[in-house]
Amino acid sequence: TAADFNPRAGSLYAEAQGRLADLAFTGGLRYDFFDPGTDLNNDQLGSQSSLNPRFAVSTVLSGATLVASFGKFSMPPDLQFLVDATFDDSTRTGRYRRGNPNLGFETSTQYEFSLRLAPTPVTSLRLGVYYKRLDGLVSSVPLGVDPDSSIFGNTDYGSVKGLEIIATRPIINGWGLQLSYVLQQANATSTDPFLRVQMPTIDPSTGDTTYPGRVEYPLDYDRRHALTAVFQSLLNPTAGPTVLGGHPLGALETALIVRFASGLPYTLTNAAGDSLVSSVNEL
């Protein structure tokens, strides 16, 4: 089965800046829209749109700059989720999902605070914390006890929060250095649109279908620690031997990048590839 799409998506953004004494303000508004451009499941689909405000304020305090920002963001769903889909081994139970032509935007709301200062005349330091709330993420919604009856829906939610530290020394006297460290935690009620983690049960006495409570799991990109070091060196224009009146090694720039990161979460599977032997991203 094939689906023919002629989608359209676009956005417009306007921004204004102003200053009042030691306060600087930035405000923006972004308009996003998408249109699948076809009929799906006998439903005539219209375009969907979203307005997303952004706001930031900064001020100088005793030689340091404090910046606080807020923003809303929208992203159209992957268009493959608007039609029926199979994945992995399509002959196995639970590997089929019903498409939903009425999916909407996946959204997020982000808050960020940062402090920028210069400890010495040749170094700068930036400290920042951020929090992002995720809503309307595409997930598999059970319509009964049969996993193959699940349908895609904008039902998942989650959060990303972290701390970022960046120390910089620009290239002075032939060398420069930048160190950055990120501490982050990212959780959501699902890690994959095809993953169905709310397994319903049937009450043996009443015959009612019962769904468990929502539980947040580590997202696939939930990396706790990430450290990056970038060392740069720059030769002066007259460095090295003289060849035909010039210096081929003059102004030569080199860089060394070192990265260290902790591991990513994963789900334990058995020899057959079944992931039901452990919780989602448990390890």
Side-chain angles (χ1 to χ4, degrees):
T1 301
D4 184 18
F5 287 97
N6 295 288
R8 298 188 306 272
S11 61
L12 295 171
Y13 182 68
E15 183 179 275
Q17 296 180 341
R19 180 175 294 276
L20 179 62
D22 291 335
L23 293 175
F25 301 91
T26 301
L29 185 65
R30 182 183 173 103
Y31 170 81
D32 294 277
F33 80 93
F34 80 94
D35 185 354
T38 187
D39 296 340
L40 296 174
N41 298 342
N42 297 320
D43 287 340
Q44 180 66 40
L45 300 181
S47 62
Q48 299 195 45
S49 60
S50 175
L51 285 175
N52 301 288
R54 319 279 171 85
F55 181 78
V57 59
S58 62
T59 186
V60 177
L61 299 173
S62 300
T65 301
L66 176 65
V67 181
S69 63
F70 161 85
K72 292 185 67 67
F73 304 84
S74 296
M75 182 176 68
D78 193 320
L79 296 180
Q80 66 170 314
F81 303 136
L82 276 63
V83 296
D84 298 343
T86 58
F87 61 102
D88 295 338
D89 183 356
S90 60
T91 63
R92 295 180 62 188
T93 301
R95 299 305 191 265
Y96 172 81
R97 298 290 182 264
R98 291 172 54 181
N100 184 355
N102 296 310
L103 287 177
F105 284 96
E106 296 180 309
T107 64
S108 66
T109 303
Q110 182 168 313
Y111 306 86
E112 184 174 357
F113 298 90
S114 65
L115 183 65
R116 305 169 187 174
L117 60 157
T120 69
V122 297
T123 60
S124 63
L125 180 65
R126 175 179 174 180
L127 309 174
V129 293
Y130 58 88
Y131 175 82
K132 180 186 293 186
R133 180 65 182 176
L134 310 174
D135 290 295
L137 303 181
V138 176
S139 64
S140 294
V141 182
L143 295 178
V145 294
D146 181 4
D148 278 333
S149 68
S150 301
I151 187 173
F152 293 118
N154 295 101
T155 59
D156 274 343
Y157 57 87
S159 62
V160 181
K161 51 189 174 183
L163 164 71
E164 183 179 41
I165 303 174
I166 301 176
T168 304
R169 182 193 188 275
I171 299 179
I172 299 176
N173 296 328
W175 68 278
L177 180 66
Q178 177 173 295
L179 298 173
S180 66
Y181 170 74
V182 177
L183 174 67
Q184 178 179 270
Q185 182 180 46
N187 295 322
T189 50
S190 180
T191 62
D192 190 301
F194 295 99
L195 183 64
R196 176 178 160 173
V197 294
Q198 282 188 289
M199 302 301 293
T201 59
I202 298 180
D203 191 304
S205 59
T206 64
D208 293 335
T209 302
T210 304
Y211 295 95
R214 304 298 297 271
V215 177
E216 291 195 9
Y217 301 86
L219 285 167
D220 292 342
Y221 57 86
D222 179 39
R223 189 187 300 276
R224 192 70 67 243
H225 306 280
L227 175 66
T228 303
V230 180
F231 175 80
Q232 294 176 288
S233 65
L234 178 65
L235 297 179
N236 64 63
T238 60
T242 301
V243 179
L244 300 177
H247 299 273
L249 297 181
L252 177 66
E253 183 175 347
T254 60
L256 174 65
I257 302 176
V258 179
R259 293 187 176 94
F260 168 81
S262 56
L264 294 171
Y266 66 94
T267 304
L268 185 66
T269 61
N270 59 18
D274 194 337
S275 61
L276 299 180
V277 296
S278 75
S279 298
V280 178
N281 280 348
E282 180 180 32
L283 301 174

